[in-house]
Amino acid sequence: MAEAVFAHMVNRHNLASRFVIDSAGTAGYHTGESPDRRSAQTCLDNGVPVNHRARRVRKSDFAEFDHILCMDQSNYEDLLRMKPKGSDARVALFGSFSGRAEDRIIEDPYYGGDDGFQTNFEQVTRCSEGLLKDLGMLEL
């Protein structure tokens, strides 16, 4: 969901030429699968298109991407362990860009009800805007 929302926001602000956006997990449980239907439906209900297949984080991601963002502390620690020495990639919690303490950790809504996906959508929308502001691409 975060990838779709961020890509949509980047496109809306005519910034697509300045980004390579992708999403990957620290574990390969869902490699090759489409997003959870509730996640995809929440995006579609909010006007955000979804076109993604799950993949696992690769060492090459730390060379290809300037920023590698994650949703929770466990994934943050996993990414720091995976990060090759000498990599300049910035590993951070996506929630740290929203400006709201309650967004710092973005909980996985998978095991909860459908309303959790809307909450998640709202969080990643705030984080996407905050990231663009942090990068100096949106007015504060």
Side-chain angles (χ1 to χ4, degrees):
M1 178 182 290
E3 174 199 13
V5 170
F6 185 66
H8 182 70
M9 188 172 289
V10 163
N11 286 330
R12 229 180 52 228
H13 291 287
N14 299 313
L15 298 168
S17 65
R18 301 186 64 187
F19 288 92
V20 174
I21 303 168
D22 198 0
S23 177
T26 55
Y29 305 127
H30 300 288
T31 298
E33 294 179 15
S34 296
D36 180 283
R37 66 164 181 76
R38 297 166 296 176
S39 179
Q41 189 60 54
T42 301
C43 285
L44 294 173
D45 289 348
N46 286 279
V48 174
V50 177
N51 182 20
H52 181 74
R53 294 280 182 201
R55 71 172 184 86
R56 189 172 187 176
V57 173
R58 301 179 292 253
K59 281 192 176 187
S60 61
D61 290 338
F62 292 90
E64 183 177 347
F65 296 99
D66 296 327
H67 302 272
I68 298 183
L69 307 174
C70 57
M71 303 298 158
D72 61 38
Q73 192 66 35
S74 175
N75 283 301
Y76 177 75
E77 291 168 8
D78 288 345
L79 288 167
L80 289 179
R81 278 192 293 276
M82 297 168 75
K83 183 179 176 179
K85 289 185 181 187
S87 169
D88 291 330
R90 176 184 181 192
V91 176
L93 288 166
F94 193 36
S96 67
F97 294 99
S98 89
R100 291 186 178 188
E102 66 270 20
D103 288 343
R104 183 168 162 68
I105 301 300
I106 300 174
E107 300 291 339
D108 186 345
Y110 184 80
Y111 296 105
D114 290 351
D115 59 331
F117 288 87
Q118 183 60 37
T119 298
N120 190 263
F121 180 88
E122 292 165 9
Q123 287 177 300
V124 298
T125 297
R126 287 189 295 269
C127 296
S128 294
E129 184 176 289
L131 176 58
L132 289 175
K133 287 177 181 175
D134 184 75
L135 295 171
M137 295 183 183
L138 284 184
E139 297 286 324
L140 294 176

